[in-house]
Amino acid sequence: MWLKPEEILLKNAFKLWVTEKDNEYFVLQRRRGYGEGGGGLTGLLVGTLDTVLDSTSKVAPYRILHHTPDSQVYWSIACGVTKEEIDQHWDWLQQNIMRTLSVFDSTEDITSFVQGKIRGLIAEEGKTSLVLEDDPEKFREALLRFEKWFELPAQEKLVTYYSCSYWKGKVPCQGWLYLSTNFLCFYSYLLGSEVKLIISWDEIWRLEKTSNVILTESIHVLAHGEDHYFSMLLHLSETFVIMEQLANYSIKRLFDKEAFQGEPALSDPLQITKRGLEAHAKSEQFRAFFRLPKEENLLEVHESFLWVPFSHFNTLGKICLSENYLCFASQDGSQCHIIIPMREVINVEKPDSSSRALTVCVRGKRALRFSEVRDYQRLANTIRSRCGISASPQHSASSEAIRGECQSLINHFEDNPEDVTLMVGQKDTSKAVSTEALMTVFHPQDVENLDPKMLKEKMKEQSWNIHFSEYGRGTSMFFTKKTRDLIVRGVPESLRGELWMLFSGAVNDMATHPGCYTELVEQSLGTSTLATDEIERDLHRSLPEHPAFQSDTGISALRRVLTAYAYRNPKIGYCQAMNILTSVLLLYAKEEEAFWLLVAVCERMLPDYFNRRIIGALVDQAVFEDLIRENLPQLVDHMTDLSFFSSVSLSWFLTLFISVLPIESAVNVVDCFFYDGIKAILQLGLAVLDYNMEALIACNDDAEAVTILNRFFDSVTNKDSPLPPTVQQASVGNNDKASHVSVDISELIREAYEKYGHFRSEEVESSRKRNKLHVIQTLEDTTKQNVIRVVSQDVRFTSSQLDELYNLFKRQHFLSCYWTMKSPALLHHDPSLAYLEQYQLGFQQFSELFSLLEPWAFCASKSTLSLWVFRLIDENQDGLVNFKEFCYALDTLYGVSFTNKLKFLFKLHLPPAFDLPEDGVIRKSPERGRGKVDLQAYLKQWQNEILKKEETIKDLPRINQAQFIQFSKTLYNIFHGDPEEESLYRAVAHVTSLLLRMEEVGRRLQEPSSPPAEATQPASTAASVEASSTQEASGNPKTSDASGSHSSQEGATEQQDPDWSFSFEQVLASLLNEPAIVGFFERHVHIQTKLGQARVAQLKLKANK
């Protein structure tokens, strides 16, 4: 164990200890009397002394000391009871500390660093044991330090913390790494130097484990263009997994706007725990491996042996139990695995308690025997309760009756195969829904045809039937290496639909949702949305050369499946390439089966592929590039820019090679995909590049490389396909086929598995997570550049200033989402909107950011002013402001034009800014992203923006008495605290009096017979303005706010003439005569300074609130 570093006396110490190992900074010693030799008389005395001492005074027989070459001081840092234990500590020091110490210049720094590191390790070990014991005291202390050091908002949830070293340049800083829901934080205080780091998860571009010459292993974080390295973690892998999960959680919640409604552990960002994250990650891995519905969660794991009948031996593995499935995977994960739906279990027996075994009986006269299960009794009861089976003592006696009933059921299904659908609870489908695969309708197999291809097809069917007899058939079939071998050789046409359903897990989706598809078809019938419009447009582009889609039968089935899916999942709706994929599914599967296959592909097997930004496909392309670097170094040396392969391979991933290969060859690729997932597509992509390696290296440009690959795909054939030429897809480059040797698809797939089948699906998932951060941040950066390019045309800010403004605006948007799932930005998010609308602020978020950036920081009435500004720039009155509108307001206020600034302030006191409710609540708040996007409205708005003429001062309406009074008060508020405050106040008072007297003279000239009493009204108005100016000068912001917040009520209650008003020209002309006011508004304010202050204060402002 590690010890708190303590100085030891060396005068007589070495007489009691023998040095076993040593180096420049550490010494490993064994106490005399222990180990080999015993140490003679001295060793005997030492051993006797240690034996007679009580347990609290005993000395461990091994220890490690720290020292420096020029010092006689030694520090004890570790001890051990066994040689193995102390060797582990010694090896850890060698691997993690020795290389690091070479960067220090002084011995004092080395000793200080080693002591800090050892104390951190001790705290780490103590924390781990305390967490296991559910003792919250240590965690509470860490939470207090976290809150004190980083001053984050009180609702920020600390998830866990670790002791580690952070590399600042070439020098490590020993400190503490804190991982919270939204932030990665590090704190170190060493030798008077404080290091503090706060990075939000949504700002991270790279998160990966890495190693170099100095660091054997560390965690690399890239954010804001800066690299951060964290090393010497006691549990580095665990730390990295938690960091990866928090980053992924942040990405899904903030960028994908996912609400985690079905996952209680993640649905509330204020309640995120380390245990919840770990459970979520395990459930995700469990669902991905066994292809289970997203509702399933991993509940229990039991180690056991499973009797494998086809191999006649017990294989070691793990039983994984979820709400509705019992699964088993052998130790290596590849030898065999099996999935048993609870609905298929008919009994659970315990034949032999001595072997801790239980037998699970499933439909189809099959039984699975699990042995050496530690908690077999509880597991058996759990399975029974989930299957609704009683745990009666007479279960063995009644098993014969159950077996007999099952046998009669099996005999019935053998005699009536059309009734098999009843086993999965399938309802009778609607007559409008096709119940046959299109291939059986348009290309029925001729049983009497005995040509070589049909004979080979029959042999394949026979091989699969033998496989079914040995390994089982249906949902409880064993998946083994032999299964994969049969897949690689090719699936018979007659079994393709059944096996796709089985391998994808779609068979379970359909079984647990009987009648769902028919209901969706009926509900979506006749609906008109953007998705249905796009579907209609693409229907006749889906395999147009195939006879099935040259008739109304195939087109109608395709329309129903795509429309039903768009109705079921509006978040995805319809995307291009879905039509091509669904067309192939309909060829080999019944219509309802094709629907559930589409669900499995879009929601499980190819996550995030079919959305507006095709993030999933871009992530897999990045994974593909990594694999090219690892496996095809010759190609990498020749083509340093691998982005070419990303562009050319996009269709490979989106359509599973269907769009580039002839249909009879592409279906073999789809076979492999449903069994091995995206791994099969990656393998085949590598094999294609490998096959064309020499030609690609010899090509001169990208166009030539594309031509080479297209010719290759045209030459791929399927010599075993039984399809007639009318069904087979004609090659595009038919004329050039003679110049290119044909390649058989089965041989290409076999080569792909042999050469590139070594990497595992888990490695692909890990690479996906690593690359997803970079892909999303790259897309975000592209979006930012597009927004800046559009906005820069209308404002005078520089590109760098707009860049900083965008970052602040986006961060403010995220701050509104960090601690709640119900922020306006999330509730009204519509991914179909343009990039300008993706990040928007409600009034509260806008007010906070505007207060940090508006040029008049001394304004006494910020809340009122920001409310009016918000109303003015929110042109569509939806309660949200986008970045362009925000920049327009700031550009006006930071400009040098006195007229523009005055016009902006003048408009703040006119409707709609001035007359809306004073509580800041926008009454018109349309439901966004729920219905059909009104394209006509968008086009009309776009046309209006193009034709919009420049607004002139003559277009502005006149300002009435109440509005003018508030306008004067706003000017007083703006001037409050300025060095020239007095002269500015006098100037405003002078202008106000002048305007009112001018109005009075004008009224007298127009109405000579008016009573004298009316003439007193302007004077009283002037007096009220003067009184308000006195209040403003006294610096009473509360009075100012109150007067500002009730201005509309004053205007409503005062008796005033409707003609009593001023035009903007009058106000402008009067103010232009006051040099003090003109000078104030034309004074240049540096926005760069404000931007720097806002960056620092933005998070603190949230924390203070």
Side-chain angles (χ1 to χ4, degrees):
M1 62 182 290
W2 299 106
L3 301 175
K4 183 180 178 181
E6 291 184 1
E7 188 176 345
I8 63 171
L9 298 174
L10 297 180
K11 186 175 181 181
N12 298 312
F14 284 126
K15 294 181 181 179
L16 304 177
W17 296 87
V18 179
T19 299
E20 297 266 279
K21 299 177 183 178
D22 67 306
N23 57 37
E24 194 175 4
Y25 299 108
F26 300 100
V27 178
L28 188 155
Q29 295 182 334
R30 170 178 54 82
R31 194 165 174 82
R32 292 183 184 275
Y34 295 90
E36 298 177 3
L41 181 60
T42 307
L44 182 63
L45 292 173
V46 172
T48 304
L49 179 66
D50 290 346
T51 303
V52 298
L53 289 174
D54 61 71
S55 59
T56 59
S57 304
K58 285 185 178 179
V59 179
Y62 298 95
R63 72 178 182 182
I64 296 176
L65 308 177
H66 163 66
H67 74 107
T68 51
D70 55 350
S71 172
Q72 296 300 314
V73 178
Y74 282 70
W75 300 82
S76 63
I77 59 172
C79 66
V81 178
T82 64
K83 186 73 163 61
E84 291 75 19
E85 181 186 0
I86 204 68
D87 280 343
Q88 284 182 358
H89 286 60
W90 180 264
D91 293 340
W92 192 90
L93 291 169
Q94 290 286 104
Q95 294 172 9
N96 294 278
I97 299 291
M98 284 300 295
R99 294 182 183 181
T100 307
L101 299 182
S102 61
V103 305
F104 291 99
D105 296 325
S106 66
T107 56
E108 290 81 10
D109 289 347
I110 291 175
T111 300
S112 178
F113 175 78
V114 171
Q115 290 177 353
K117 187 62 201 173
I118 298 303
R119 289 192 183 98
L121 292 174
I122 293 169
E124 187 75 10
E125 289 180 334
K127 185 201 74 168
T128 304
S129 62
L130 285 167
V131 168
L132 291 174
E133 295 168 4
D134 286 332
D135 184 353
E137 188 61 31
K138 204 75 176 177
F139 191 86
R140 193 180 68 81
E141 292 177 8
L143 179 60
L144 292 173
R145 292 197 301 269
F146 173 73
E147 292 173 347
K148 174 186 173 184
W149 288 337
F150 303 107
E151 300 177 338
L152 293 171
Q155 60 264 50
E156 181 64 15
K157 177 73 168 62
L158 177 64
V159 176
T160 188
Y161 62 101
Y162 299 94
S163 169
C164 74
S165 291
Y166 168 64
W167 289 78
K168 195 174 181 182
K170 294 185 178 181
V171 180
C173 305
Q174 177 62 34
W176 290 92
L177 178 68
Y178 294 87
L179 308 179
S180 65
T181 306
N182 299 295
F183 299 96
L184 178 157
C185 304
F186 177 83
Y187 184 85
S188 171
Y189 186 83
L190 196 63
L191 302 175
S193 174
E194 183 183 57
V195 177
K196 188 186 294 186
L197 184 70
I198 302 175
I199 303 173
S200 57
W201 296 113
D202 55 82
E203 297 169 339
I204 293 178
W205 281 65
R206 283 279 183 195
L207 178 62
E208 58 191 352
K209 285 194 282 189
T210 184
S211 59
N212 54 39
V213 178
I214 297 177
L215 302 173
T216 52
E217 199 170 21
S218 63
I219 295 175
H220 171 222
V221 176
L222 173 62
H224 297 298
E226 296 181 9
D227 294 299
H228 306 275
Y229 292 91
F230 302 91
S231 67
M232 283 177 279
L233 287 139
L234 191 61
H235 305 287
L236 188 137
S237 295
E238 175 195 303
T239 309
F240 178 74
V241 168
I242 294 293
M243 291 171 73
E244 196 175 53
Q245 289 164 3
L246 284 168
N248 190 46
Y249 175 65
S250 179
I251 289 293
K252 285 185 177 180
R253 192 163 59 90
L254 301 175
F255 291 103
D256 300 341
K257 305 297 187 290
E258 193 170 319
F260 299 95
Q261 293 175 348
E263 301 177 62
L266 302 181
S267 59
D268 185 358
L270 302 182
Q271 302 299 326
I272 297 297
T273 63
K274 179 183 172 185
R275 187 175 299 172
L277 286 170
E278 289 172 343
H280 173 72
K282 288 177 181 176
S283 293
E284 269 193 335
Q285 189 177 5
F286 165 70
R287 288 192 295 266
F289 183 84
F290 292 108
R291 307 274 169 80
L292 298 179
K294 60 183 179 182
E295 296 81 15
E296 298 300 312
N297 295 292
L298 182 62
L299 303 178
E300 297 180 21
V301 179
H302 300 268
E303 195 170 88
S304 75
F305 286 91
L306 172 64
W307 172 252
V308 185
F310 48 85
S311 299
H312 304 288
F313 70 90
N314 281 310
T315 180
L316 177 64
K318 289 183 177 179
I319 300 171
C320 300
L321 196 67
S322 71
E323 289 87 348
N324 298 295
Y325 295 89
L326 173 68
C327 306
F328 177 87
S330 60
Q331 199 72 25
D332 57 3
S334 61
Q335 189 173 1
C336 78
H337 70 270
I338 187 170
I339 304 162
I340 308 167
M342 294 293 187
R343 63 180 184 275
E344 297 289 318
V345 177
I346 57 176
N347 194 24
V348 180
E349 299 178 355
K350 300 194 300 294
D352 185 5
S353 58
S354 60
S355 62
R356 296 182 297 179
L358 59 96
T359 302
V360 178
C361 303
V362 298
R363 299 183 195 277
K365 203 177 180 180
R366 295 183 58 209
L368 301 168
R369 185 176 186 275
F370 300 97
S371 58
E372 299 300 326
V373 184
R374 180 175 297 178
D375 202 354
Y376 72 97
Q377 181 69 54
R378 189 172 66 84
L379 176 61
N381 292 334
T382 303
I383 297 172
R384 284 198 192 96
S385 64
R386 294 197 174 276
C387 299
I389 302 170
S390 61
S392 171
Q394 290 84 14
H395 70 274
S396 57
S398 62
S399 60
E400 290 300 325
I402 294 172
R403 288 196 186 98
E405 183 182 340
C406 288
Q407 187 59 48
S408 63
L409 204 61
I410 292 164
N411 294 336
H412 171 76
F413 286 135
E414 287 175 351
D415 297 334
N416 304 276
E418 67 277 3
D419 290 349
V420 171
T421 53
L422 295 174
M423 288 180 63
V424 293
Q426 194 175 345
K427 288 184 179 179
D428 185 28
T429 54
S430 169
K431 291 181 180 179
V433 176
S434 174
T435 56
E436 292 293 335
L438 294 179
M439 194 63 81
T440 61
V441 175
F442 288 88
H443 177 52
Q445 288 193 11
D446 186 359
V447 181
E448 297 180 0
N449 187 357
L450 297 178
D451 64 21
K453 288 186 176 180
M454 285 304 299
L455 285 174
K456 196 158 188 178
E457 188 76 2
K458 293 293 180 186
M459 290 173 63
K460 283 184 184 179
E461 289 181 16
Q462 189 62 29
S463 298
W464 275 96
N465 287 329
I466 293 170
H467 183 80
F468 290 148
S469 64
E470 292 182 6
Y471 298 88
R473 185 171 187 171
T475 51
S476 301
M477 186 178 84
F478 281 94
F479 295 81
T480 66
K481 289 180 179 178
K482 189 174 180 182
T483 313
R484 180 181 281 114
D485 293 340
L486 286 173
I487 290 285
V488 171
R489 279 186 271 171
V491 174
E493 298 277 316
S494 59
L495 295 175
R496 190 159 268 139
E498 176 189 343
L499 293 175
W500 286 358
M501 289 289 289
L502 180 64
F503 297 149
S504 66
V507 64
N508 293 315
D509 289 323
M510 193 170 78
T512 52
H513 297 83
C516 177
Y517 174 66
T518 306
E519 292 175 9
L520 287 171
V521 169
E522 292 172 354
Q523 291 168 1
S524 62
L525 191 66
T527 56
S528 178
T529 63
L530 184 62
T532 57
D533 294 344
E534 292 178 344
I535 289 169
E536 288 298 325
R537 186 187 62 204
D538 289 346
L539 283 176
H540 295 278
R541 304 177 186 174
S542 310
L543 301 185
E545 70 286 340
H546 198 285
F549 298 100
Q550 295 169 359
S551 72
D552 185 60
T553 304
I555 294 294
S556 297
L558 181 60
R559 178 187 292 112
R560 287 192 294 268
V561 171
L562 291 174
T563 306
Y565 184 78
Y567 187 85
R568 176 186 185 270
N569 190 346
K571 186 177 179 181
I572 292 177
Y574 170 77
C575 293
Q576 286 188 343
M578 286 173 68
N579 59 321
I580 298 174
L581 176 61
T582 309
S583 301
V584 174
L585 299 179
L586 282 166
L587 290 178
Y588 293 97
K590 297 173 184 177
E591 189 176 319
E592 184 174 7
E593 293 173 341
F595 171 79
W596 290 111
L597 283 169
L598 184 64
V599 170
V601 171
C602 294
E603 297 176 15
R604 287 201 301 272
M605 302 187 72
L606 296 178
D608 298 326
Y609 261 61
F610 303 100
N611 56 29
R612 188 175 58 87
R613 300 198 291 179
I614 58 170
I615 289 172
L618 297 176
V619 169
D620 283 342
Q621 283 184 306
V623 174
F624 187 49
E625 285 186 21
D626 290 345
L627 291 171
I628 291 174
R629 291 187 186 93
E630 293 173 15
N631 296 279
L632 302 173
Q634 290 179 315
L635 199 58
V636 175
D637 293 341
H638 178 73
M639 303 181 74
T640 52
D641 183 12
L642 297 182
S643 60
F644 161 74
F645 296 112
S646 294
S647 59
V648 80
S649 65
L650 182 61
S651 62
W652 304 358
F653 291 97
L654 283 174
T655 66
L656 309 179
F657 283 92
I658 295 170
S659 63
V660 293
L661 286 174
I663 186 65
E664 67 275 7
S665 301
V667 290
N668 285 38
V669 179
V670 179
D671 296 338
C672 299
F673 167 74
F674 277 123
Y675 190 83
D676 276 318
I678 196 62
K679 177 176 176 285
I681 305 300
L682 294 167
Q683 289 172 182
L684 186 61
L686 291 173
V688 167
L689 297 180
D690 189 13
Y691 194 93
N692 295 277
M693 176 86 73
E694 293 181 4
L696 289 172
I697 290 176
C699 68
N700 299 314
D701 54 33
D702 291 353
E704 189 178 345
V706 170
T707 304
I708 289 168
L709 291 173
N710 286 339
R711 285 179 179 172
F712 170 77
F713 288 129
D714 290 339
S715 69
V716 175
T717 61
N718 187 348
K719 63 183 181 182
D720 297 334
S721 175
L723 300 179
T726 55
V727 174
Q728 293 191 18
Q729 185 176 336
S731 298
V732 177
N734 227 11
N735 298 331
D736 300 330
K737 212 163 191 177
S739 62
H740 210 297
V741 180
S742 64
V743 182
D744 184 61
I745 187 64
S746 298
E747 290 298 316
L748 187 63
I749 290 174
R750 184 183 57 77
E751 188 176 329
Y753 272 91
E754 287 179 358
K755 281 191 174 182
Y756 306 109
H758 56 272
F759 60 87
R760 300 170 61 196
S761 298
E762 290 82 358
E763 295 171 11
V764 173
E765 287 301 319
S766 176
S767 183
R768 273 178 163 178
K769 290 177 182 176
R770 185 174 65 253
N771 284 289
K772 186 175 182 179
L773 289 171
H774 186 263
V775 167
I776 285 184
Q777 295 291 9
T778 302
L779 288 173
E780 288 291 310
D781 195 56
T782 303
T783 299
K784 178 172 73 173
Q785 298 307 322
N786 290 334
V787 171
I788 290 174
R789 188 176 65 251
V790 171
V791 174
S792 62
Q793 298 172 6
D794 300 321
V795 299
R796 286 177 288 273
F797 295 130
T798 64
S799 295
S800 61
Q801 290 170 345
L802 283 173
D803 188 283
E804 291 192 56
L805 275 172
Y806 184 89
N807 291 335
L808 288 168
F809 189 88
K810 178 179 171 182
R811 193 182 195 194
Q812 191 70 24
H813 167 90
F814 282 159
L815 284 172
S816 71
C817 308
Y818 275 169
W819 301 284
T820 179
M821 291 289 192
K822 297 181 179 180
S823 69
L826 285 176
L827 293 175
H828 297 302
H829 174 71
D830 184 357
S832 67
L833 292 177
Y835 45 77
L836 267 175
E837 307 286 340
Q838 287 304 301
Y839 296 117
Q840 302 183 92
L841 301 181
F843 168 66
Q844 190 61 41
Q845 292 77 42
F846 169 84
S847 179
E848 292 172 4
L849 185 58
F850 186 75
S851 68
L852 295 173
L853 292 172
E854 51 107 351
W856 305 306
F858 34 76
C859 176
S861 184
K862 289 183 180 179
S863 60
T864 307
L865 184 64
S866 61
L867 174 61
W868 295 338
V869 173
F870 181 81
R871 291 168 171 173
L872 178 63
I873 64 178
D874 181 19
E875 294 182 0
N876 57 359
Q877 297 182 18
D878 64 349
L880 296 169
V881 167
N882 64 33
F883 181 67
K884 186 178 181 180
E885 295 166 337
F886 182 75
C887 287
Y888 161 73
L890 285 183
D891 182 61
T892 304
L893 297 179
Y894 276 94
V896 294
S897 170
F898 170 69
T899 304
N900 287 342
K901 289 181 182 179
L902 190 66
K903 183 167 71 172
F904 187 82
L905 290 172
F906 189 83
K907 289 167 70 174
L908 290 181
H909 299 83
L910 295 170
F914 193 69
D915 282 352
L916 287 177
E918 290 296 333
D919 57 4
V921 177
I922 308 300
R923 304 306 178 198
K924 180 184 175 185
S925 182
E927 290 294 319
R928 310 179 68 174
R930 297 178 184 273
K932 180 183 177 182
V933 177
D934 192 346
L935 295 178
Q936 296 295 329
Y938 274 118
L939 289 172
K940 188 174 181 181
Q941 180 183 348
W942 182 46
Q943 186 180 19
N944 290 339
E945 287 181 359
I946 293 174
L947 299 176
K948 188 187 293 182
K949 64 177 182 178
E950 186 69 27
E951 185 182 53
T952 64
I953 58 177
K954 292 184 179 181
D955 296 326
L956 294 173
R958 296 173 69 87
I959 193 169
N960 64 32
Q961 180 181 337
Q963 293 163 351
F964 177 72
I965 292 173
Q966 188 56 56
F967 175 77
S968 303
K969 291 178 180 179
T970 301
L971 290 178
Y972 286 128
N973 283 328
I974 290 173
F975 299 150
H976 179 67
D978 189 80
E980 300 178 10
E981 180 179 0
E982 288 300 325
S983 61
L984 288 167
Y985 279 180
R986 284 196 297 271
V988 173
H990 181 262
V991 168
T992 304
S993 300
L994 178 64
L995 283 169
L996 290 170
R997 289 191 180 97
M998 287 170 58
E999 184 65 24
E1000 180 183 352
V1001 171
R1003 286 172 60 82
R1004 285 180 177 177
L1005 290 173
Q1006 290 177 5
E1007 302 175 13
S1009 60
S1010 59
E1014 287 193 10
T1016 62
Q1017 187 176 340
S1020 65
T1021 304
S1024 69
V1025 175
E1026 292 292 340
S1028 68
S1029 69
T1030 307
Q1031 291 174 353
E1032 307 300 342
S1034 65
N1036 190 346
K1038 189 174 286 188
T1039 308
S1040 167
D1041 278 346
S1043 64
S1045 62
H1046 295 289
S1047 59
S1048 59
Q1049 285 85 342
E1050 289 175 10
T1053 56
E1054 284 189 23
Q1055 296 293 325
Q1056 58 179 340
D1057 194 315
D1059 296 330
W1060 185 261
S1061 60
F1062 299 107
S1063 67
F1064 177 72
E1065 293 99 316
Q1066 290 175 301
V1067 177
L1068 175 63
S1070 303
L1071 289 173
L1072 281 172
N1073 291 322
E1074 298 295 334
I1077 295 178
V1078 175
F1080 173 85
F1081 281 111
E1082 290 186 346
R1083 187 188 307 161
H1084 184 68
V1085 181
H1086 294 281
I1087 192 174
Q1088 201 63 45
T1089 307
K1090 282 281 188 178
L1091 290 171
Q1093 294 170 350
R1095 260 197 319 271
V1096 176
Q1098 191 175 27
L1099 196 57
K1100 288 185 178 179
L1101 180 67
K1102 198 77 178 177
N1104 294 336
K1105 283 182 178 295

